[in-house]
Amino acid sequence: QNTTAGGVIPQGGKLTLNVIQALDPLKLLGKTLEGYAGVDGLVTVNIPAGSYTATIQHDLFETETLSYELGPPEQGLYEPFKRIMLHSKIVPGRVKIVLIWGAQPADLDLFVVTPFAKVYHACKQDHSLECLLDSDMRSGYGPETVTLSLMDDEAYGTLLMYGASHLTKAHIYVHQHSTDSSLPSSNAVLQVITEDGVIHKSHVPSRGIGNFWDAFSVDLRDLNIEVREKITPSEPSFEVLRGNPDPQIVMSSSKELGMAMYETKPDEMTSQEKSRSVLAAHEGFISV
């Protein structure tokens, strides 16, 4: 019935439903229904019980397609609100890492260790690769999004100069900051998105003990993915080239770069983070 742009479809967004199988008093089987979002961002389409393929389109966002089934509540098939992740279109040469999860734990944190920095809630930016964490979400659902540039010749030349040419990857992991629930029950999902759409998706392992999900690495030269997918009690650690004017290789879990297990957070979220948390909890979410 409705989807999202921070909670709803952006105005002008188009919702298309293809009828696959339905109780068909309206003779809709095999047909397509369409609707457009108004100023309130809502799309309403009257449909009977059945199975559908839904497509959400907007000029500023990647097209999203999903299956949707509508049926009796007692069979667990009545879902009047559907959470959908819409991704803004990405310019060439940029990569987006997106973390979403369920209602609990309330606070998961996305970590991206680049060749030059550790980007997370206490250090949201790495200027070397134009790397930025958008928000620290603390009321469940997410999304937390890090956007960064692919490695150009200048950045790679810096690594070569200091004997660190092997540091071409961004390492991705998640920390459970709040103590409610557990990582395996979080339904957390990580996605890697480029101009070509979602190129990799990881689901949190269903088993494991610890507060860290060590997920995968992305090579910033060729976008190859190295999968690890394990839950661990200790923070993953990777080499990082740090310092000026004489950079040295240090470990990302060192005290110098911040240790996730001992990081505290301000009591208050920013107004933007509060707004995004409320929308995510009640309606849906969008990746900007």
Side-chain angles (χ1 to χ4, degrees):
Q1 191 175 29
N2 86 358
T3 14
T4 97
V8 290
I9 295 176
Q11 184 178 1
K14 178 182 177 182
L15 173 66
T16 302
L17 288 174
N18 295 312
V19 187
I20 301 171
Q21 181 179 2
L23 302 174
D24 204 18
L26 303 179
K27 307 300 181 184
L28 297 176
L29 190 60
K31 296 183 179 180
T32 297
L33 294 81
E34 295 182 350
Y36 290 84
V39 294
D40 58 1
L42 298 179
V43 178
T44 301
V45 180
N46 294 319
I47 55 176
S51 301
Y52 299 86
T53 297
T55 301
I56 300 93
Q57 298 169 289
H58 191 279
D59 289 344
L60 299 179
F61 297 87
E62 299 290 347
T63 297
E64 181 70 23
T65 300
L66 69 151
S67 298
Y68 182 69
E69 191 164 359
L70 182 63
E74 61 270 18
Q75 296 181 17
L77 297 177
Y78 181 66
E79 192 175 9
F81 296 97
K82 183 75 173 178
R83 294 186 180 277
I84 299 170
M85 171 65 77
L86 294 183
H87 301 294
S88 58
K89 291 185 176 178
I90 301 176
V91 299
R94 299 281 282 171
V95 182
K96 183 183 293 185
I97 312 295
V98 181
L99 169 67
I100 59 173
W101 66 98
Q104 291 183 322
D107 192 356
L108 295 185
D109 290 319
L110 174 61
F111 284 69
V112 176
V113 178
T114 78
F116 305 101
K118 179 163 73 173
V119 175
Y120 65 117
H121 61 85
C123 179
K124 293 185 176 182
Q125 196 163 9
D126 169 19
H127 295 285
S128 302
L129 293 172
E130 299 180 338
C131 181
L132 179 67
L133 170 67
D134 62 346
S135 299
D136 176 22
M137 308 301 287
R138 306 189 210 168
S139 300
Y141 301 107
E144 292 196 5
T145 303
V146 169
T147 306
L148 69 161
S149 295
L150 294 177
M151 185 173 292
D152 58 18
D153 290 341
E154 181 180 353
Y156 188 61
T158 300
L159 295 177
L160 284 172
M161 185 184 305
Y162 294 101
S165 59
H166 60 292
L167 301 183
T168 61
K169 298 176 181 178
H171 307 284
I172 317 302
Y173 62 94
V174 174
H175 177 232
Q176 180 184 339
H177 187 86
S178 60
T179 57
D180 54 327
S181 191
S182 66
L183 272 173
S185 63
S186 67
N187 294 318
V189 177
L190 280 164
Q191 293 179 319
V192 182
I193 308 164
T194 69
E195 60 179 309
D196 297 321
V198 178
I199 65 169
H200 179 76
K201 181 183 290 188
S202 286
H203 296 265
V204 66
S206 59
R207 296 180 180 178
I209 298 174
N211 292 327
F212 292 91
W213 170 22
D214 185 11
F216 55 86
S217 298
V218 183
D219 195 303
L220 298 176
R221 299 280 284 178
D222 57 20
L223 290 176
N224 281 336
I225 307 290
E226 176 189 311
V227 175
R228 290 182 297 278
E229 301 297 7
K230 56 186 178 182
I231 293 177
T232 68
S234 57
E235 182 174 1
S237 191
F238 307 95
E239 292 182 323
V240 176
L241 187 67
R242 292 282 290 177
N244 193 14
D246 186 22
Q248 302 290 325
I249 292 178
V250 300
M251 300 307 294
S252 61
S253 60
S254 66
K255 186 176 181 181
E256 175 186 356
L257 295 184
M259 302 177 72
M261 293 182 69
Y262 303 106
E263 288 282 357
T264 58
K265 295 188 178 184
D267 291 335
E268 288 293 318
M269 291 186 286
T270 67
S271 58
Q272 178 192 26
E273 289 167 347
K274 286 181 179 178
S275 175
R276 287 165 63 88
S277 291
V278 170
L279 288 167
H282 290 89
E283 293 175 316
F285 31 60
I286 192 163
S287 172
V288 294

